[in-house]
Amino acid sequence: MMLRLATDADEQSPPSAHRAPWLSLMVGLLGPRGTHAALVAVVVLGLSLLVVSGLPGRVRAWVHDRPEYDWSVAQIALDPAPPSWLRVGERGVLSAVAEPLQGFDPGSVLDLDLGAVERAFKNVFWVERVRGIERSYPNRVIVSLDYRQPVAIAPLDPSAAATNPSRRDYLVVDSTGLILDRLPVNSDLGRSFASELVMLSGLKVPQDVTIGQPWPRSDSSESVLRSDPAAEAAARLARFLLDRSAEDGWPETRSGQMIPFRRIHPYQGDPRKLYINHKLPDGQVLWVVWDSAPGSEGSSEPSAIEKWDMLRNWITSGGIDRPLDPGALGFTTRGPVWLPPI
């Protein structure tokens, strides 16, 4: 009842002193409700005429064609910049996305499909993850990336080492076994990687090296090339060893001698039988039967972190402070054991 009275009062209220004459006339003829409806109709009709005339499209085109919004792939900013190991640098990374983004280059940054940019960078093999993409006024595009990290190297032609070792090349792989680069052994980066990364041996070296592809295994029963599980397992172990050494340091003997395990050898190419080794100052080689790669252990096999702790404790407690017997160190759920030669 009160609501109805209020409504009637509104309809009967005198025009405001500040109301325009034409609006007062409309209110007098149509009432408040009728006037409101008429104004809405006029606005809708006006907007419809604008759409039919194409004015919004012309305005949009005018804005998008303004020079401050001009954009090209070369102007993409990478965050962070490519790491020093990536020899192609920022220019190489941007060149890798130039073809899939050629439909937008050159053009207006306002027309750029950020989803297309993300897909383009996801297909660059140097990139492990695209963390985000954002536009920054007026025409900057910032792409945040996680790059793949080298963890191991492998001699491309071990058979030629005896005759001319300086002519060899290294294959550089990440923790999945993906081949990231091929570089000369005697290059500055090659020498740096040899002292910092893990060396893989005992793998079947691919005849046709394809940078950006997994380490291939040629299956004699099929014509296709498949990823080598032994290379994948060795690369995963290399990543684990580097991560643990960065966290805990390499094991040390009682005398303070550091024992860095920077060599991995899959026994007869078996991904479930990985060895690591280190050459001691007296010429002896300490072999460790690591077995499965981290994350692939069976129910009766210690985990990777348990093996690491056993290895460190065995070394620090004097395990190699005396001449080594033939054989290798192994691990059981009860602790480390010395295994006889195979």
Side-chain angles (χ1 to χ4, degrees):
M1 182 65 176
M2 293 179 65
L3 178 61
R4 180 59 188 167
L5 290 173
T7 303
D8 292 342
D10 289 342
E11 291 183 348
Q12 297 169 8
S13 60
S16 170
H18 302 288
R19 185 178 293 162
W22 64 269
L23 184 57
S24 298
L25 179 60
M26 288 186 65
V27 173
L29 293 174
L30 303 176
R33 291 178 179 174
T35 301
H36 180 267
L39 291 175
V40 169
V42 170
V43 171
V44 171
L45 177 61
L47 292 176
S48 301
L49 292 174
L50 285 175
V51 171
V52 171
S53 69
L55 182 60
R58 290 197 293 271
V59 171
R60 180 183 182 278
W62 176 80
V63 172
H64 284 229
D65 288 343
R66 290 184 63 82
E68 61 262 36
Y69 297 122
D70 288 348
W71 175 87
S72 68
V73 169
Q75 292 173 277
I76 291 178
L78 303 181
D79 178 31
S84 58
W85 69 262
L86 210 169
R87 295 187 292 163
V88 299
E90 182 174 286
R91 180 178 297 181
V93 176
L94 295 182
S95 296
V97 299
E99 183 176 350
L101 295 178
Q102 61 183 352
F104 303 97
D105 182 11
S108 170
V109 73
L110 301 178
D111 295 324
L112 181 62
D113 181 356
L114 297 188
V117 176
E118 181 178 13
R119 290 190 294 274
F121 275 94
K122 282 184 175 179
N123 289 326
V124 177
F125 70 86
W126 297 302
V127 174
E128 185 172 52
R129 185 169 69 99
V130 179
R131 289 187 282 109
I133 302 173
E134 63 176 296
R135 266 184 277 248
S136 178
Y137 181 83
N139 63 345
R140 290 192 72 206
V141 174
I142 304 172
V143 181
S144 299
L145 302 172
D146 287 334
Y147 299 93
R148 293 184 182 272
Q149 294 298 319
V151 298
I153 55 176
L156 182 59
D157 187 13
S159 62
T163 57
N164 197 347
S166 64
R167 295 294 298 273
R168 286 188 305 172
D169 286 345
Y170 284 142
L171 293 183
V172 184
V173 300
D174 77 342
S175 59
T176 68
L178 189 81
I179 300 175
L180 296 175
D181 201 355
R182 173 180 177 171
L183 52 89
V185 169
N186 60 354
S187 65
D188 290 342
L189 192 55
R191 287 188 287 268
S192 175
F193 278 170
S195 64
E196 297 172 1
L197 303 184
V198 174
M199 180 76 71
L200 305 183
S201 61
L203 293 170
K204 184 176 181 181
V205 179
Q207 293 182 349
D208 298 320
V209 177
T210 304
I211 307 301
Q213 296 294 322
W215 190 289
R217 178 192 65 183
S218 180
D219 193 325
S220 58
S221 63
E222 300 180 19
S223 59
V224 298
L225 288 176
R226 295 187 175 184
S227 177
D228 187 345
E232 291 180 5
R236 199 155 73 243
L237 176 55
R239 174 64 180 269
F240 174 83
L241 292 175
L242 292 180
D243 286 348
R244 295 319 307 170
S245 66
E247 182 75 18
D248 306 327
W250 291 110
E252 292 186 5
T253 64
R254 287 176 174 174
S255 61
Q257 176 191 346
M258 188 170 62
I259 310 296
F261 289 94
R262 295 190 182 275
R263 290 182 176 271
I264 299 176
H265 186 101
Y267 179 68
Q268 295 183 348
D270 187 348
R272 299 162 299 179
K273 205 69 174 176
L274 300 174
Y275 284 72
I276 62 177
N277 66 76
H278 174 70
K279 188 173 183 179
L280 302 172
D282 61 3
Q284 293 189 99
V285 177
L286 171 60
W287 286 88
V288 178
V289 184
W290 190 274
D291 284 337
S292 302
S296 300
E297 297 89 354
S299 57
S300 60
E301 186 178 351
S303 68
I305 193 65
E306 289 173 333
K307 295 174 188 176
W308 173 257
D309 289 339
M310 291 181 198
L311 177 61
R312 287 176 57 84
N313 292 335
W314 182 81
I315 292 175
T316 58
S317 62
I320 57 174
D321 290 342
R322 56 181 178 77
L324 299 176
D325 295 329
L329 182 71
F331 305 103
T332 70
T333 54
R334 297 183 302 275
V337 295
W338 191 259
L339 302 174
I342 297 177

